[in-house]
């Protein structure tokens, strides 16, 4: 394998070797390199014990990141490198953390505590690739497989359950059968894991390229994390527009949008309120009135519970509230929408609507409408047409000079002028606007 390590990494490995210790890059970076991807960070594993590591790097800046677990961060030529001593995890009693850790001189000890075979590969330039658990074959065959007995490994640390799904989604790998069965069997253990850690893995999972299959095949695991999803599963949509139940529609819509965290979360939860809003009319046709509004509130609760940051909670739930709005049919309607939601949400709305439609019976029913929506925006931007108070060629100070007093009336007049400009009843011209303001007064 042609794997060139950064000089700083080689320097660290060489320094450890010169003091008589083994050292390799390990884990994600080797996996990525074997897959032909450029790794983003390099973790180093070594036979030196923590105190020995400290003396090897005595002349370097050291940050004691996780010294109890044998991890040091060493700054080599400006680059922080995470270096960890070969480690054996003690007994796990809480499905989360080992009671204690001890250190080892034997590489295999360290590799056997790692989660999946594809994450056990090691490399240094002297010895090349070291593969003690068949990681290379599993990469070739695109398989996520536990190191050792899956039931035991998931009981030790239940985060591995969602990590397995994350790697399957991101790497586009399948999950080996025993590992897969054990994931389903042990899913409830996820409840013992800090919600932030589960959330971070979930976010990566839904942004992965194989997200559709993982979400479909492991719905029970997702329902463990977001119980509200279970009502979507099997919730039929007997309408002319839909082919799939709400859950499958959700998974398809999610995988039809770009892999941006906000947009993927929006699609994951966009129809979360449909089961609650479902009614069936006398013709047997289903309706889901108000599901976007209720969905906005439900998404807010779910995202808060998963401890997403406020900006994400607000943006995602807001976009869900918007997702079933009517698309503007004219340039004036576009400007009214821009005035209400701003240009970022306008653009996001187009992406959301497109993904939502791609997951319906007639995936291209909205293509024309969305093309127009984009064309209206292009024209508005090209002509710098006004849709906001900031663009209006009159402001509060101008009105005060005309004798207005600041207060409610002044802002009402400004807004009235803005809507007259948006509706193309008067031009966005300061003289005309002043004249009209005096009329309104
Ligand atoms: P990424 O590309 O997301 O960084 P990664 O494989 O480097 O992928 P990390 O979470 O950075 O994943 O972990 C680094 C390595 O540590 C993994 O490759 C794996 O060997 C080991 N590891 C991480 N988390 C666990 C865990 N919960 N249980 C066992 N081993 C783990
Ligand atoms: Mg990593």
């Amino acid at each position: 394998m042609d794997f060139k390590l950064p000089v700083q990494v080689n320097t660290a490995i060489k320094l450890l070797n010169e003091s008589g210790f083994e050292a390799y890059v390990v884990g994600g970076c080797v996996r990525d390199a074997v897959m032909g991807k450029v790794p983003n960070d390099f973790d180093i594993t070594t036979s030196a014990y923590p105190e020995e590591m400290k003396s090897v790097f005595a002349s370097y800046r050291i940050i004691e990141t996780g010294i109890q677990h044998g991890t040091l961060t060493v700054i080599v030529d400006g680059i922080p490198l995470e270096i960890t001593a070969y480690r054996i995890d003690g007994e796990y009693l809480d499905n989360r953390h080992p009671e204690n850790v001890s250190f080892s001189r034997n590489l295999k000890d360290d590799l056997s505590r790692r989660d999946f075979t594809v994450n056990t590969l090691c490399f240094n330039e002297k010895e090349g690739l070291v593969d003690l658990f068949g990681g290379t074959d599993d990469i070739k065959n695109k398989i996520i497989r536990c190191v050792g007995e899956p039931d035991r490994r998931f009981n030790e640390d239940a985060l591995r359950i969602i990590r397995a799904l994350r790697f399957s989604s991101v790497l586009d790998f399948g999950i080996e059968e025993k590992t897969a069965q054990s994931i389903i069997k042990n899913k409830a253990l996820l409840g013992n894991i800090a919600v932030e850690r589960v959330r971070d893995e979930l976010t990566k999972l839904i942004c992965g390229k194989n997200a559709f299959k993982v979400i479909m095949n492991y719905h029970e695991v997702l329902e463990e994390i977001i119980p509200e999803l279970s009502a979507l599963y099997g919730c039929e949509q007997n309408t002319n527009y839909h082919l799939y139940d709400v859950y499958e529609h959700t998974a398809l819509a999610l995988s039809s949008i770009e892999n941006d965290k906000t947009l993927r979360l929006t699609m994951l939860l966009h129809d979360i309120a449909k089961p609650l809003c479902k009614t069936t009319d006398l013709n047997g046709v289903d309706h889901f009135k108000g599901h976007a509004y209720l969905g906005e509130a439900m998404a807010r609760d779910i995202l808060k519970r998963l401890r997403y940051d406020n900006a994400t909670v607000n943006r995602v739930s807001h976009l869900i509230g918007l997702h079933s709005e009517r698309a503007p049919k004219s340039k004036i309607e576009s400007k009214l929408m821009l005035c209400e939601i701003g240009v970022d949400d306008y653009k996001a709305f187009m992406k959301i609507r497109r993904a939502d439609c791609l997951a319906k019976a007639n995936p291209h029913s909205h293509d024309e409408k969305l093309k127009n929506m984009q064309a209206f925006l292009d024209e508005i931007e090209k002509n710098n047409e006004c849709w906001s108070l900031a663009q209006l060629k009159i402001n509060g100070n101008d009105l005060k000079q005309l004798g207005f007093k600041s207060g409610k009336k002044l802002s009402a007049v400004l807004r009235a002028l803005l809507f007259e400009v948006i509706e193309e009843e008067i031009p966005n011209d300061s003289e005309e606007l002043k004249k009209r303001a005096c009329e309104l007064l």
Side-chain angles (χ1 to χ4, degrees), residues 26-29 31-32 40-41 43 92 113-116 119-120 153 157 159-160 163 166-167 197 201 204:
V26 64
C29 65
R31 181 195 69 224
D32 288 349
N40 36 16
D41 58 354
D43 295 322
Y92 286 79
R113 73 168 171 91
R114 293 177 183 269
D115 47 8
F116 308 111
N119 288 343
T120 61
R153 303 314 309 282
D157 179 0
L159 187 71
R160 293 169 188 155
R163 279 176 64 84
R166 184 260 276 200
F167 286 116
R197 299 175 73 208
E201 295 293 341
K204 291 179 185 168

Side-chain angles (χ1 to χ4, degrees), residues 16 20 60 104 109 119 148 150 162 167 181 223 247 259 278 301 388 406:
L16 286 159
Y60 289 79
S104 164
D109 286 339
N119 288 343
I162 182 80
F167 286 116
Q181 285 167 0
E223 289 163 17
Y247 190 84
N259 65 352
K278 179 170 167 173
D301 286 347
S388 68
S406 47

Side-chain angles (χ1 to χ4, degrees), residues 11 20 28-29 37 41 46 58 77 95 109 113 135 153-154 168 175 211 223 244 309 328 337 373 379 395 397:
T11 303
C29 65
K37 293 193 259 183
D41 58 354
T46 178
D77 296 335
N95 315 119
D109 286 339
R113 73 168 171 91
R153 303 314 309 282
F154 291 134
S168 171
I175 301 180
E223 289 163 17
Y244 312 105
D309 59 282
M337 187 177 203
M373 214 179 145
E379 197 176 331
N395 62 27
N397 285 332

